[in-house]
């Protein structure tokens, strides 16, 4: 059976004045996989991610999502197609409970907007789905806990629950392990693996242990261009990749 391509770009380029941040990048993310975008600092990962998620407009090249050209679409329109970036609802409402935060996301999905002025009784029909989503990310027991009281790693899980409320067909995660302690890294890694069972995931991530554990395919960027691609075994032994990472972290993990 032919593998379906969820997200692809051809010749993707971004200039900022005389500086080329992304240089003719072409990649394809297969449906049902976890695809990692990695590279040393200054490699162009964030800019490439912003182009793919339609935060930035490319200087050249094209982007397609399940065969549909989305190069000129705004990020809100792309989200409605099911291509959802985690930061689109990443700022949790600290004064609201976990349940209320997810309910806000469900209201957005339904086109209701926050509607904070409506009585609680008018929103209770969303509670069952909110609880289901909290359970999916391991927060069912914290449903009535205010977001401000959740540890940082649990806030990350809440952000993912809010993103899942938008029913993404493809989930894009920008450095999901950033700022997490080791215990939370393990928890969020397991969570990403779990939610990817029925979704495609593209993530930018610096934690190479996480990348090696859950990624099906990896694209390595350096100086705005693709340096190497393949599974972790392949890219971790690529001499160009080892050189780009100054031969420390990847070289050690490839032994």
């Amino acid at each position: 059976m032919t593998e379906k391509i969820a997200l692809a770009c051809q010749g993707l380029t971004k200039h900022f004045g005389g500086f080329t941040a992304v240089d003719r990048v072409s990649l394809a993310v297969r449906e049902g996989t976890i695809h990692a975008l990695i590279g040393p600092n200054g490699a162009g990962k964030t800019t490439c991610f912003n182009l793919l998620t339609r935060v930035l407009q490319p200087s050249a090249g094209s982007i397609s999502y399940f065969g549909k050209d989305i190069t000129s679409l705004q990020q809100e329109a792309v989200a409605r197609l099911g291509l959802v970036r985690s930061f689109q609802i990443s700022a949790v409402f600290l004064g609201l409970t976990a349940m209320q935060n997810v309910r806000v996301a469900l209201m957005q999905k339904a086109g209701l907007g926050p509607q904070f002025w409506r009585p609680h009784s008018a929103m209770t029909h969303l509670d069952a789905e909110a609880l289901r989503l909290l359970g999916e990310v391991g927060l069912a027991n914290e449903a009535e806990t205010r977001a401000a009281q959740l540890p940082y790693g649990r806030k990350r899980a809440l952000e993912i629950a809010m993103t899942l409320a938008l029913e993404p067909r493809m989930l894009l995660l920008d450095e999901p392990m950033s700022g997490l302690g080791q215990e939370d890294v393990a928890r969020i890694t397991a969570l990403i693996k779990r939610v990817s069972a029925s979704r495609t995931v593209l993530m930018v991530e610096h934690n190479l242990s996480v990348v090696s554990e859950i990624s099906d395919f990896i694209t390595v960027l350096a100086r705005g261009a693709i340096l190497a691609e393949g599974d972790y075994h392949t890219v971790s032994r690529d001499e160009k990749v080892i050189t780009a990472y100054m031969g420390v972290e990847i070289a050690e993990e490839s032994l």
Side-chain angles (χ1 to χ4, degrees):
M1 190 171 74
T2 304
E3 290 181 310
K4 187 177 290 186
I5 301 301
L7 182 67
C9 63
Q10 293 289 330
L12 199 61
T13 301
K14 182 63 178 179
H15 303 299
F16 293 102
F19 174 68
T20 301
V22 174
D23 188 9
R24 294 168 292 181
V25 166
S26 297
L27 59 82
V29 180
R30 301 190 306 275
E31 184 181 23
T33 64
I34 299 178
H35 190 128
L37 189 61
I38 70 171
N41 291 333
K45 304 182 297 298
T46 298
T47 302
C48 187
F49 205 67
N50 285 338
L51 292 168
L52 292 171
T53 55
R54 307 305 307 112
V55 176
L56 293 175
Q57 184 67 23
S59 303
S62 62
I63 307 166
S64 62
Y65 176 63
F66 285 102
K68 176 182 175 64
D69 190 321
I70 63 169
T71 312
S72 60
L73 293 184
Q74 299 298 312
Q75 55 181 315
E76 293 82 5
V78 170
R80 286 194 292 272
L81 295 175
L83 180 64
V84 179
R85 181 173 179 168
S86 58
F87 82 47
Q88 287 177 279
I89 310 184
S90 64
V92 300
F93 297 97
L94 297 178
L96 300 182
T97 65
M99 165 87 84
Q100 290 168 334
N101 269 280
V102 177
R103 191 189 297 152
V104 168
L106 289 169
M107 291 164 68
Q108 179 174 330
K109 172 63 179 176
L112 299 174
Q115 299 194 18
F116 293 110
W117 62 89
R118 299 190 66 180
H120 177 269
S121 58
M123 296 291 104
T124 53
H125 67 285
L126 300 173
D127 287 356
E129 178 63 6
L131 274 174
R132 186 191 69 79
L133 288 165
L134 288 171
E136 189 169 352
V137 302
L139 287 176
N141 292 335
E142 285 91 354
E144 299 304 323
T145 302
R146 282 187 11 168
Q149 298 173 315
L150 293 173
Y152 185 65
R154 308 300 271 168
K155 286 188 181 75
R156 278 292 173 85
L158 178 56
E159 291 170 7
I160 292 176
M162 295 173 73
T163 302
L164 295 180
L166 297 180
E167 299 181 1
R169 188 176 183 183
M170 182 170 179
L171 188 60
L172 299 113
L173 303 174
D174 191 0
E175 298 189 26
M177 306 303 161
S178 177
L180 297 182
Q182 193 54 48
E183 182 179 340
D184 284 329
V185 165
R187 183 181 289 116
I188 298 300
T189 298
L191 171 57
I192 292 171
K193 206 169 183 178
R194 192 161 65 246
V195 302
S196 70
S198 57
R199 302 171 184 89
T200 304
V201 175
L202 174 65
M203 67 176 185
V204 170
E205 183 51 56
H206 282 290
N207 189 319
L208 297 182
S209 295
V210 171
V211 170
S212 68
E213 181 179 346
I214 65 173
S215 297
D216 299 299
F217 196 82
I218 300 167
T219 297
V220 185
L221 292 182
R223 298 181 180 179
I226 291 179
L227 187 64
E229 288 190 301
D231 60 19
Y232 188 81
H233 177 85
T234 299
V235 301
S236 67
R237 286 161 173 76
D238 189 297
E239 290 186 3
K240 299 188 300 296
V241 175
I242 293 171
T243 300
Y245 273 94
M246 304 185 67
V248 180
E249 192 164 10
I250 287 184
E252 289 177 355
E253 292 188 13
S254 65
L255 296 177

